Amino acid sequence: MSLTSNLPVSLNVQLGRLSLKNPILVASGTFGYAREMSAFVDYAQLGGIIPKTVTREPRAGNPPPRTVETTAGLLNSIGLDNDGIEVFITKHLEALSLLPTALIVNIAGKSTEDFVVMARRLDEFNPIQALELNISCPNVSGGVDYGTNPTMTAEVVAAVRQATSKPIIAKLTPNVTSVVEIARAAANAGADALSLVNTFQGFAVDWKTGEPRLGNGLGGLSGPAIKPLALRIVWQVAQAVDCPIIGVGGIQSLDDVLEFLVCGATAVQVGTANFYNPSLSSQLTSGLEKVLQDRGCSRVQELIKTVKVPKNQRKTC
C-alpha cells in the first residue's frame, strides 16, 4: 500500500513578520547579485534571495588569495568586498526587485550608526522584504564584535529595529562560548529571526614555505565539514530561545534541509554548495514537497522541531 498522499502541500513558512513561499533561501556571499546564477537557477523555486553583503562605504576586501579548499569545506577571507550601499541601490536593486522571490538584503557595519543609516536608507524601498544583519563576519576588523557580545548584539538589533519597519534577521557567529546567550539577546531586542550560523574561524598553511594560504591569514570555514556543528547550534538555540531560526551550514542535499528543519529551523540557506552545484537551491523545493506528501504532511511546519531529545541527556565534556 502506498503511503504517498495526493493532498496539496503548503511550503509557506513564517519568520516573525516575514512570510516566505518556501523555506529554501540562498546565503549571502555565495550567490552574487543573482544575475550571475540566471543560467542555473529557477528563481521562482526559491523562498528568497540574499545578495552579497552591503556596507555603508565601498570596501576593497582582503588581499588575495581569498579562498582555499579544505577537506569537505571552503576557507574564505573575502573581507566584504563591495561597492557600498549607494552603488548597490543604483546598480543592483532594480534587477533584484524584479525576481519572483523574496529579497532580503544583508548589511554590515563597523558601528551601530552604520547599521542604522543603512537600515533607514533601505527602508525606502518596498521590494526589500527584510534585512539580515551581518554581525558575525570573521574576516574584517570589527566585523564580529557585535556578534560576540550579547550587550552589543542587543544594542545594534534594537537600534535597527527603531530605524526600519522591515523584518530583521540577525546572522550570528558560532565563534563564541555560548551562541544561545547571543541568540537570546538578539531575540529580546526585536529580531524577527536568527540566521545560524556564519562561518567558523579557521587557518590554512603551506608547510613547505611556512606561508599562510590566505592573504589575510585567518578565514571562515564553510561547507559540509561544519554541518554537524551548525545542526548542534540550531538544536540548542531552538530549545532555549523563542525565535524563528534559519539554519545555515553545509547544506548540499534534501536530507540536509530536513535535518535542519527537524532540529528546529523554520528555513534554511544554501551557501557553499552554490559554488559547485549552482542549480541545487532551486531543485530542493520540489523534493521537499514530495517528502511532505510521502509522509502525509500538509504543511512544512509539521516537520519543524520534531527531533527527539535523547533520554538521560548529559552535557558533553
PDB file of all heavy atoms in Angstrom, residues 18-21 25 43 46-50 96 99-104 127 129:
ATOM      1  N   LEU A  18       8.047  38.075   8.581  1.00  0.00           N
ATOM      2  CA  LEU A  18       8.446  37.783   7.205  1.00  0.00           C
ATOM      3  C   LEU A  18       7.803  36.482   6.718  1.00  0.00           C
ATOM      4  O   LEU A  18       8.028  35.416   7.294  1.00  0.00           O
ATOM      5  CB  LEU A  18       9.969  37.669   7.115  1.00  0.00           C
ATOM      6  CG  LEU A  18      10.553  37.248   5.758  1.00  0.00           C
ATOM      7  CD1 LEU A  18      10.212  38.283   4.676  1.00  0.00           C
ATOM      8  CD2 LEU A  18      12.060  37.059   5.867  1.00  0.00           C
ATOM      9  N   SER A  19       7.015  36.573   5.650  1.00  0.00           N
ATOM     10  CA  SER A  19       6.390  35.400   5.057  1.00  0.00           C
ATOM     11  C   SER A  19       7.176  34.972   3.824  1.00  0.00           C
ATOM     12  O   SER A  19       7.513  35.801   2.980  1.00  0.00           O
ATOM     13  CB  SER A  19       4.938  35.711   4.649  1.00  0.00           C
ATOM     14  OG  SER A  19       4.168  36.056   5.772  1.00  0.00           O
ATOM     15  N   LEU A  20       7.447  33.668   3.714  1.00  0.00           N
ATOM     16  CA  LEU A  20       8.154  33.126   2.560  1.00  0.00           C
ATOM     17  C   LEU A  20       7.321  32.020   1.937  1.00  0.00           C
ATOM     18  O   LEU A  20       6.653  31.260   2.645  1.00  0.00           O
ATOM     19  CB  LEU A  20       9.515  32.555   2.978  1.00  0.00           C
ATOM     20  CG  LEU A  20      10.513  33.514   3.618  1.00  0.00           C
ATOM     21  CD1 LEU A  20      11.764  32.755   4.054  1.00  0.00           C
ATOM     22  CD2 LEU A  20      10.880  34.643   2.666  1.00  0.00           C
ATOM     23  N   LYS A  21       7.382  31.893   0.619  1.00  0.00           N
ATOM     24  CA  LYS A  21       6.586  30.864  -0.060  1.00  0.00           C
ATOM     25  C   LYS A  21       7.167  29.469   0.127  1.00  0.00           C
ATOM     26  O   LYS A  21       6.469  28.474  -0.080  1.00  0.00           O
ATOM     27  CB  LYS A  21       6.435  31.190  -1.543  1.00  0.00           C
ATOM     28  CG  LYS A  21       7.729  31.257  -2.326  1.00  0.00           C
ATOM     29  CD  LYS A  21       7.440  31.667  -3.765  1.00  0.00           C
ATOM     30  CE  LYS A  21       8.711  31.825  -4.570  1.00  0.00           C
ATOM     31  NZ  LYS A  21       8.420  32.258  -5.963  1.00  0.00           N
ATOM     32  N   LEU A  25      16.343  29.279   0.999  1.00  0.00           N
ATOM     33  CA  LEU A  25      16.995  30.552   0.710  1.00  0.00           C
ATOM     34  C   LEU A  25      18.424  30.295   0.245  1.00  0.00           C
ATOM     35  O   LEU A  25      18.953  29.197   0.423  1.00  0.00           O
ATOM     36  CB  LEU A  25      17.023  31.439   1.959  1.00  0.00           C
ATOM     37  CG  LEU A  25      15.691  31.726   2.656  1.00  0.00           C
ATOM     38  CD1 LEU A  25      15.932  32.267   4.054  1.00  0.00           C
ATOM     39  CD2 LEU A  25      14.879  32.719   1.853  1.00  0.00           C
ATOM     40  N   TYR A  43      14.560  31.068 -10.242  1.00  0.00           N
ATOM     41  CA  TYR A  43      14.360  31.918  -9.072  1.00  0.00           C
ATOM     42  C   TYR A  43      12.993  31.722  -8.438  1.00  0.00           C
ATOM     43  O   TYR A  43      12.840  31.895  -7.224  1.00  0.00           O
ATOM     44  CB  TYR A  43      14.536  33.392  -9.457  1.00  0.00           C
ATOM     45  CG  TYR A  43      15.883  33.738 -10.030  1.00  0.00           C
ATOM     46  CD1 TYR A  43      16.007  34.214 -11.335  1.00  0.00           C
ATOM     47  CD2 TYR A  43      17.039  33.588  -9.278  1.00  0.00           C
ATOM     48  CE1 TYR A  43      17.241  34.535 -11.862  1.00  0.00           C
ATOM     49  CE2 TYR A  43      18.277  33.907  -9.801  1.00  0.00           C
ATOM     50  CZ  TYR A  43      18.371  34.377 -11.098  1.00  0.00           C
ATOM     51  OH  TYR A  43      19.598  34.692 -11.621  1.00  0.00           O
ATOM     52  N   LEU A  46      12.701  29.487  -5.372  1.00  0.00           N
ATOM     53  CA  LEU A  46      13.360  29.865  -4.126  1.00  0.00           C
ATOM     54  C   LEU A  46      12.408  30.607  -3.192  1.00  0.00           C
ATOM     55  O   LEU A  46      11.551  31.364  -3.637  1.00  0.00           O
ATOM     56  CB  LEU A  46      14.567  30.762  -4.411  1.00  0.00           C
ATOM     57  CG  LEU A  46      15.668  30.185  -5.301  1.00  0.00           C
ATOM     58  CD1 LEU A  46      16.770  31.209  -5.502  1.00  0.00           C
ATOM     59  CD2 LEU A  46      16.229  28.907  -4.714  1.00  0.00           C
ATOM     60  N   GLY A  47      12.599  30.391  -1.905  1.00  0.00           N
ATOM     61  CA  GLY A  47      11.844  31.160  -0.921  1.00  0.00           C
ATOM     62  C   GLY A  47      12.349  32.584  -0.820  1.00  0.00           C
ATOM     63  O   GLY A  47      11.596  33.499  -0.481  1.00  0.00           O
ATOM     64  N   GLY A  48      13.626  32.781  -1.097  1.00  0.00           N
ATOM     65  CA  GLY A  48      14.202  34.119  -1.028  1.00  0.00           C
ATOM     66  C   GLY A  48      15.651  34.128  -1.457  1.00  0.00           C
ATOM     67  O   GLY A  48      16.327  33.101  -1.477  1.00  0.00           O
ATOM     68  N   ILE A  49      16.109  35.335  -1.810  1.00  0.00           N
ATOM     69  CA  ILE A  49      17.494  35.549  -2.233  1.00  0.00           C
ATOM     70  C   ILE A  49      18.134  36.569  -1.304  1.00  0.00           C
ATOM     71  O   ILE A  49      17.535  37.600  -0.971  1.00  0.00           O
ATOM     72  CB  ILE A  49      17.548  36.054  -3.683  1.00  0.00           C
ATOM     73  CG1 ILE A  49      17.186  34.921  -4.650  1.00  0.00           C
ATOM     74  CG2 ILE A  49      18.916  36.622  -4.031  1.00  0.00           C
ATOM     75  CD1 ILE A  49      17.095  35.355  -6.092  1.00  0.00           C
ATOM     76  N   ILE A  50      19.363  36.277  -0.881  1.00  0.00           N
ATOM     77  CA  ILE A  50      20.132  37.218  -0.059  1.00  0.00           C
ATOM     78  C   ILE A  50      21.426  37.532  -0.816  1.00  0.00           C
ATOM     79  O   ILE A  50      22.342  36.708  -0.860  1.00  0.00           O
ATOM     80  CB  ILE A  50      20.448  36.639   1.330  1.00  0.00           C
ATOM     81  CG1 ILE A  50      19.177  36.079   1.978  1.00  0.00           C
ATOM     82  CG2 ILE A  50      21.076  37.712   2.215  1.00  0.00           C
ATOM     83  CD1 ILE A  50      19.419  35.404   3.315  1.00  0.00           C
ATOM     84  N   LEU A  96      17.264  43.022  -8.903  1.00  0.00           N
ATOM     85  CA  LEU A  96      16.914  42.106  -7.824  1.00  0.00           C
ATOM     86  C   LEU A  96      15.422  42.200  -7.493  1.00  0.00           C
ATOM     87  O   LEU A  96      14.782  41.195  -7.179  1.00  0.00           O
ATOM     88  CB  LEU A  96      17.739  42.416  -6.580  1.00  0.00           C
ATOM     89  CG  LEU A  96      19.216  42.020  -6.630  1.00  0.00           C
ATOM     90  CD1 LEU A  96      19.999  42.705  -5.507  1.00  0.00           C
ATOM     91  CD2 LEU A  96      19.368  40.504  -6.525  1.00  0.00           C
ATOM     92  N   LEU A  99      12.928  39.909  -9.509  1.00  0.00           N
ATOM     93  CA  LEU A  99      12.967  38.452  -9.393  1.00  0.00           C
ATOM     94  C   LEU A  99      11.723  37.939  -8.660  1.00  0.00           C
ATOM     95  O   LEU A  99      11.232  38.589  -7.724  1.00  0.00           O
ATOM     96  CB  LEU A  99      14.237  38.015  -8.651  1.00  0.00           C
ATOM     97  CG  LEU A  99      15.552  38.384  -9.344  1.00  0.00           C
ATOM     98  CD1 LEU A  99      16.743  37.955  -8.486  1.00  0.00           C
ATOM     99  CD2 LEU A  99      15.647  37.748 -10.721  1.00  0.00           C
ATOM    100  N   PRO A 100      11.214  36.770  -9.052  1.00  0.00           N
ATOM    101  CA  PRO A 100       9.949  36.258  -8.493  1.00  0.00           C
ATOM    102  C   PRO A 100      10.115  35.552  -7.152  1.00  0.00           C
ATOM    103  O   PRO A 100       9.614  34.438  -6.945  1.00  0.00           O
ATOM    104  CB  PRO A 100       9.486  35.282  -9.581  1.00  0.00           C
ATOM    105  CG  PRO A 100      10.749  34.745 -10.149  1.00  0.00           C
ATOM    106  CD  PRO A 100      11.720  35.906 -10.136  1.00  0.00           C
ATOM    107  N   THR A 101      10.802  36.203  -6.244  1.00  0.00           N
ATOM    108  CA  THR A 101      11.003  35.630  -4.915  1.00  0.00           C
ATOM    109  C   THR A 101      11.330  36.746  -3.941  1.00  0.00           C
ATOM    110  O   THR A 101      11.570  37.892  -4.350  1.00  0.00           O
ATOM    111  CB  THR A 101      12.133  34.582  -4.944  1.00  0.00           C
ATOM    112  OG1 THR A 101      12.172  33.889  -3.693  1.00  0.00           O
ATOM    113  CG2 THR A 101      13.493  35.213  -5.212  1.00  0.00           C
ATOM    114  N   ALA A 102      11.357  36.434  -2.659  1.00  0.00           N
ATOM    115  CA  ALA A 102      11.607  37.459  -1.640  1.00  0.00           C
ATOM    116  C   ALA A 102      13.043  37.966  -1.713  1.00  0.00           C
ATOM    117  O   ALA A 102      13.979  37.190  -1.940  1.00  0.00           O
ATOM    118  CB  ALA A 102      11.328  36.887  -0.256  1.00  0.00           C
ATOM    119  N   LEU A 103      13.230  39.254  -1.514  1.00  0.00           N
ATOM    120  CA  LEU A 103      14.555  39.868  -1.489  1.00  0.00           C
ATOM    121  C   LEU A 103      14.893  40.282  -0.063  1.00  0.00           C
ATOM    122  O   LEU A 103      14.200  41.095   0.547  1.00  0.00           O
ATOM    123  CB  LEU A 103      14.594  41.085  -2.409  1.00  0.00           C
ATOM    124  CG  LEU A 103      15.880  41.924  -2.367  1.00  0.00           C
ATOM    125  CD1 LEU A 103      17.101  41.098  -2.738  1.00  0.00           C
ATOM    126  CD2 LEU A 103      15.746  43.149  -3.277  1.00  0.00           C
ATOM    127  N   ILE A 104      15.961  39.710   0.461  1.00  0.00           N
ATOM    128  CA  ILE A 104      16.456  40.037   1.795  1.00  0.00           C
ATOM    129  C   ILE A 104      17.856  40.613   1.629  1.00  0.00           C
ATOM    130  O   ILE A 104      18.721  39.989   1.006  1.00  0.00           O
ATOM    131  CB  ILE A 104      16.508  38.775   2.677  1.00  0.00           C
ATOM    132  CG1 ILE A 104      15.113  38.167   2.814  1.00  0.00           C
ATOM    133  CG2 ILE A 104      17.088  39.097   4.060  1.00  0.00           C
ATOM    134  CD1 ILE A 104      15.097  36.779   3.414  1.00  0.00           C
ATOM    135  N   PRO A 127      10.400  46.771  -2.427  1.00  0.00           N
ATOM    136  CA  PRO A 127      10.723  45.395  -2.841  1.00  0.00           C
ATOM    137  C   PRO A 127      11.611  44.636  -1.858  1.00  0.00           C
ATOM    138  O   PRO A 127      11.646  43.405  -1.882  1.00  0.00           O
ATOM    139  CB  PRO A 127      11.440  45.596  -4.183  1.00  0.00           C
ATOM    140  CG  PRO A 127      10.912  46.893  -4.699  1.00  0.00           C
ATOM    141  CD  PRO A 127      10.753  47.744  -3.481  1.00  0.00           C
ATOM    142  N   GLN A 129      12.182  42.926   1.344  1.00  0.00           N
ATOM    143  CA  GLN A 129      11.223  42.397   2.304  1.00  0.00           C
ATOM    144  C   GLN A 129      11.775  42.226   3.706  1.00  0.00           C
ATOM    145  O   GLN A 129      11.016  42.086   4.664  1.00  0.00           O
ATOM    146  CB  GLN A 129      10.662  41.069   1.783  1.00  0.00           C
ATOM    147  CG  GLN A 129       9.865  41.256   0.502  1.00  0.00           C
ATOM    148  CD  GLN A 129       9.111  40.008   0.101  1.00  0.00           C
ATOM    149  OE1 GLN A 129       8.816  39.150   0.918  1.00  0.00           O
ATOM    150  NE2 GLN A 129       8.802  39.897  -1.177  1.00  0.00           N
TER     151      GLN A 129
END
